[in-house]
Amino acid sequence: MENRGHEELIPDEVIEEVRMRTEIVEVISEYVSLQRKGKNFLGLCPFHAEKTPSFTVTPEKQMFYCFGCHTGGNVFSFLMKKENWTFIESVQRLAQRCGVVLPEKEMSTQEREKARLRRRVEEINEWAANYYHDLLLKSPEGEPGRSYFKKRGIDSETMNKFRLGYAPERWDGLLEYMQTRGVQPQEIAEAGLALERGKPGKDGRKFYDRFRNRVLFSILDHRNIPIAFGGRVLDDSVPKYLNSPETTFFNKRHHLYGMHRAHQGIREEGYALLAEGYMDVIALQNAGYPNAVASLGTALTREQANLLKRYTGRVVLLYDSDDAGLNAAIRGGEILRNTGLQVEVVTLKGAKDPDEFLKNHSREDFDKLVKQAVTYVEFKYQTLTQNQPPQNILEKAELVHKLAPDVLKVVSPVEREGYERFLSLELGLTLEAVQREIKSLEQKNSKKERSGEYSPQNPISSEKNRDNISNAIICKSDPEAPQPTVDLGVYRAERTLLRLLLEDISLTKKIKEQLGTSFWRVSTHQQIFDYLDQEGSLPNRSNETVQSRLASLLLEELDTSQTERLLEDCIQGILSAQTEDTVEDLQARMVALEKSGDMAGAMALLKEIGERLKRGK
């Protein structure tokens, strides 16, 4: 089904009907073993590894929340995270389940044609995957493919699980198969599965199969639908690997092999194993590592790094041990680090790749290697020095220069000093000398923006940190702009105000009269307030951070017997903190409001800044 633009046509009241008619406990119970505890249900979190249950489902409020990894939301949020569905896909599945009829999307002629082409390409890819797969498993013609996979230790169960296939040594095998299903050669070519000969013959345009005499790896999306294929030769012909070309509906920069199964494993394990080849992913997942993925036959891309970041903050690289693999690990690690991910690298001993290692060693041996993974900075140092150790002061200084940009990207002061100490010990230099050298480079680059810089004015922030409490300071979780710090007392006051509003929306009027609408220091709190103020109810379709915060607020116990007094205390606490704000605090808040699009709030702060400057404060 074509989803684009459909979400806007589903009225909020229909989405709310779907939510209310869905039993959240019933849905989540299909994924998590839940036990009743009072009015709530408790189980092991499906989004991170834990031994003590901290995952709570509240049927009364139709929300879930994990007190371990701070993931939460409504039933739509759960399915989006667990199944990697979009919001609209979650609504559609639940609507079908509970019998709610959704409005059909009205599309323009151009949109209808694009939707038709997408469905046609998906249909062609599905037929092609079935053709290659059935030929591998059942046809005498598929014996070369079966023999190859048998030598690689792949059984029929694995062939089914990953929809592996074989393309015969024929020019028109797929073309003939598709012809019986009414698919024209031009359509097959547009799907990337056939090629047109250079010059048309007397009978018109001629086409031939793209994949011939190759074992095939189906590249599946989150719905388990084939979107492309990767083929490997069985002899010494070139190219060794041949992948589907990019088309209107497929861009290999945005996909990872094995992600159709790994997106759940990555969340459950808490990290991703990033390998180099298709066979590595199959071997790893078969060995009990459901979090293994690989790029699609090309160097890792920024888009693929961002895809991983949706599921985890940590990636362990498992690249081949040859020079090409080491260089790919350095390039890939840099892309991952620049995306804000924690990167570690496993050095395989006695094997060129994970597939070979797992054939000759136990899972326990591999577990030890993963536990011994080194950080990206340490790995880069080892790679740069293994063939040419620095012999003199100039070479040591050059090495510090090469690694300084990686050290400067580290947001934690403790981790950064750890790397500086590592370099001082490895190079036989004093810690102070290494720190001064790196500091001088930092000052030279001070005019350039660096993501995640740590300072009191620009605190550590990441999507995983949420609001990081440290020394009574809370850091906002917007990674795109410098954010003002938030005092713990103000943070608690804001949470309590929102909790009161969730119990009684009529309190909005009094809050606005005394505090206005743009006083919130935590951006997530501002978003929730704006929605409650404008819509008067909870948002069904908001980002993951907002849904998690809502869930944590609703599960927070609050004595509402003295609501008026509690409300007044919170308001006075926030007003008191505002009088202590410095001009720098106000400027940081103003920038945040501008970036969020709240120009009225930003202008109000600009006016206050001007008045304070006039008073000399």
Side-chain angles (χ1 to χ4, degrees), residues 299-583:
L300 188 74
T301 68
R302 186 176 66 254
E303 291 83 1
Q304 290 166 338
N306 284 325
L307 175 60
L308 287 171
K309 193 176 179 182
R310 289 169 53 187
Y311 303 99
T312 185
R314 177 186 170 216
V315 177
V316 177
L317 291 174
L318 294 169
Y319 280 70
D320 294 354
S321 57
D322 56 15
D323 289 342
L326 294 176
N327 290 330
I330 288 179
R331 291 193 303 271
E334 185 171 356
I335 289 171
L336 293 166
R337 283 285 303 277
N338 289 341
T339 309
L341 289 161
Q342 175 189 334
V343 183
E344 297 168 39
V345 185
V346 167
T347 302
L348 293 171
K349 299 174 183 177
K352 68 179 181 65
D353 57 36
D355 181 33
E356 183 180 300
F357 185 92
L358 288 166
K359 280 183 172 59
N360 300 309
H361 298 81
S362 66
R363 169 161 180 173
E364 288 72 24
D365 292 332
F366 191 83
D367 284 339
K368 289 178 183 177
L369 284 183
V370 174
K371 290 177 181 177
Q372 294 168 2
V374 299
T375 64
Y376 175 70
V377 173
E378 292 172 296
F379 169 75
K380 191 171 182 179
Y381 172 86
Q382 293 168 0
T383 304
L384 292 173
T385 59
Q386 67 178 3
N387 294 325
Q388 292 182 319
Q391 301 296 324
N392 53 52
I393 297 299
L394 289 177
E395 289 179 356
K396 292 179 179 181
E398 183 182 358
L399 194 55
V400 173
H401 272 251
K402 286 182 178 179
L403 292 170
D406 298 295
V407 176
L408 291 173
K409 289 172 185 173
V410 175
V411 297
S412 165
V414 175
E415 187 182 353
R416 174 167 164 173
E417 183 176 324
Y419 292 134
E420 292 167 341
R421 285 186 182 276
F422 169 78
L423 290 175
S424 72
L425 291 171
E426 291 290 327
L427 297 172
L429 303 171
T430 67
L431 174 63
E432 291 74 16
V434 172
Q435 288 177 327
R436 283 199 302 271
E437 187 73 15
I438 292 176
K439 187 69 175 177
S440 68
L441 293 171
E442 182 179 28
Q443 291 170 344
K444 288 179 182 178
N445 298 327
S446 61
K447 293 183 180 179
K448 298 179 181 179
E449 285 190 350
R450 293 197 317 275
S451 62
E453 183 178 359
Y454 179 88
S455 72
Q457 287 75 37
N458 189 16
I460 301 171
S461 65
S462 73
E463 291 183 1
K464 292 292 285 184
N465 281 343
R466 308 299 179 193
D467 296 315
N468 187 30
I469 304 177
S470 176
N471 295 327
I473 294 294
I474 305 249
C475 306
K476 287 190 178 180
S477 58
D478 179 2
E480 298 189 6
Q483 296 286 350
T485 56
V486 181
D487 179 79
L488 182 56
V490 173
Y491 173 79
R492 287 174 173 165
E494 288 189 5
R495 281 184 64 90
T496 303
L497 282 182
L498 284 176
R499 187 70 176 84
L500 291 170
L501 279 176
L502 291 171
E503 294 291 335
D504 184 359
I505 195 66
S506 67
L507 297 176
T508 305
K509 182 179 180 182
K510 185 171 183 179
I511 293 173
K512 290 167 67 174
E513 285 174 352
Q514 297 197 46
L515 295 174
T517 59
S518 304
F519 64 89
W520 305 91
R521 303 290 185 87
V522 180
S523 59
T524 307
H525 294 170
Q526 180 76 62
Q527 292 177 57
I528 295 173
F529 175 78
D530 289 343
Y531 199 97
L532 291 173
D533 184 30
Q534 295 164 18
E535 305 295 333
S537 61
L538 294 179
N540 279 319
R541 38 181 154 189
S542 56
N543 63 45
E544 183 180 327
T545 304
V546 169
Q547 285 293 336
S548 293
R549 182 57 48 81
L550 275 170
S552 69
L553 285 167
L554 287 167
L555 287 173
E556 200 171 76
E557 293 296 331
L558 181 68
D559 181 7
T560 57
S561 61
Q562 300 185 49
T563 299
E564 288 297 327
R565 180 177 176 181
L566 196 55
L567 178 66
E568 191 60 35
D569 286 347
C570 291
I571 290 174
Q572 289 306 314
I574 291 172
L575 288 173
S576 177
Q578 287 178 350
T579 63
E580 298 173 4
D581 284 344
T582 64
V583 169

Side-chain angles (χ1 to χ4, degrees), residues 9-47:
L9 291 178
I10 302 179
D12 286 338
E13 57 268 23
V14 176
I15 294 174
E16 179 63 10
E17 182 184 359
V18 172
R19 187 180 74 86
M20 293 304 295
R21 289 178 61 172
T22 300
E23 291 291 341
I24 188 170
V25 173
E26 182 182 313
V27 172
I28 294 180
S29 291
E30 295 177 5
Y31 302 87
V32 181
S33 178
L34 297 174
Q35 291 186 336
R36 180 180 286 278
K37 188 176 181 181
K39 59 183 180 182
N40 298 329
F41 288 80
L42 199 63
L44 294 174
C45 181
F47 304 120

Side-chain angles (χ1 to χ4, degrees), residues 588-600:
R589 286 177 58 200
M590 183 181 73
V591 171
L593 289 172
E594 286 177 341
K595 287 194 172 289
S596 69
D598 187 356
M599 301 310 296

Side-chain angles (χ1 to χ4, degrees), residues 61-97:
K61 299 182 172 69
Q62 289 286 294
M63 301 290 278
F64 74 92
Y65 187 72
C66 175
F67 291 92
C69 66
H70 308 296
T71 299
N74 56 26
V75 68
F76 303 127
S77 309
F78 181 86
L79 291 175
M80 288 168 69
K81 288 182 69 65
K82 191 62 183 168
E83 296 288 357
N84 197 28
W85 293 340
T86 63
F87 175 80
I88 193 61
E89 285 173 330
S90 299
V91 174
Q92 288 171 334
R93 300 295 181 97
L94 290 175
Q96 187 177 23
R97 177 182 179 132

Side-chain angles (χ1 to χ4, degrees), residues 253-322:
R253 296 177 62 87
H254 294 84
H255 299 276
L256 289 164
Y257 182 71
M259 201 64 174
H260 68 290
R261 301 181 75 240
H263 67 272
Q264 293 184 24
I266 291 171
R267 282 204 172 104
E268 290 167 0
E269 297 298 323
Y271 69 99
L273 283 171
L274 181 58
E276 200 168 3
Y278 300 147
M279 287 300 300
D280 293 329
V281 170
I282 293 173
L284 285 163
Q285 292 196 9
N286 274 349
Y289 298 94
N291 52 336
V293 293
S295 55
L296 300 181
T298 56
L300 188 74
T301 68
R302 186 176 66 254
E303 291 83 1
Q304 290 166 338
N306 284 325
L307 175 60
L308 287 171
K309 193 176 179 182
R310 289 169 53 187
Y311 303 99
T312 185
R314 177 186 170 216
V315 177
V316 177
L317 291 174
L318 294 169
Y319 280 70
D320 294 354
S321 57
D322 56 15

Side-chain angles (χ1 to χ4, degrees), residues 73-172:
N74 56 26
V75 68
F76 303 127
S77 309
F78 181 86
L79 291 175
M80 288 168 69
K81 288 182 69 65
K82 191 62 183 168
E83 296 288 357
N84 197 28
W85 293 340
T86 63
F87 175 80
I88 193 61
E89 285 173 330
S90 299
V91 174
Q92 288 171 334
R93 300 295 181 97
L94 290 175
Q96 187 177 23
R97 177 182 179 132
C98 66
V100 175
V101 179
L102 299 179
E104 290 295 324
K105 179 186 184 304
E106 293 183 10
M107 296 185 288
S108 66
T109 303
Q110 185 178 6
E111 287 175 328
R112 281 196 296 272
E113 177 61 15
K114 189 173 183 180
R116 185 195 67 78
L117 288 174
R118 176 182 290 276
R119 287 193 298 271
R120 186 60 167 170
V121 169
E122 287 184 352
E123 188 176 43
I124 290 170
N125 280 332
E126 181 66 30
W127 281 334
N130 290 337
Y131 165 74
Y132 294 132
H133 183 64
D134 288 346
L135 197 147
L136 172 68
L137 291 181
K138 304 173 183 177
S139 170
E141 217 174 354
E143 179 56 34
R146 290 193 294 274
S147 177
Y148 172 83
F149 281 127
K150 185 176 180 180
K151 289 178 182 177
R152 299 297 299 266
I154 301 298
D155 57 20
S156 58
E157 182 182 350
T158 300
M159 294 179 196
N160 282 318
K161 192 178 352 179
F162 290 90
R163 300 192 71 175
L164 302 179
Y166 173 70
E169 194 171 7
R170 294 173 53 190
W171 293 92
D172 58 356

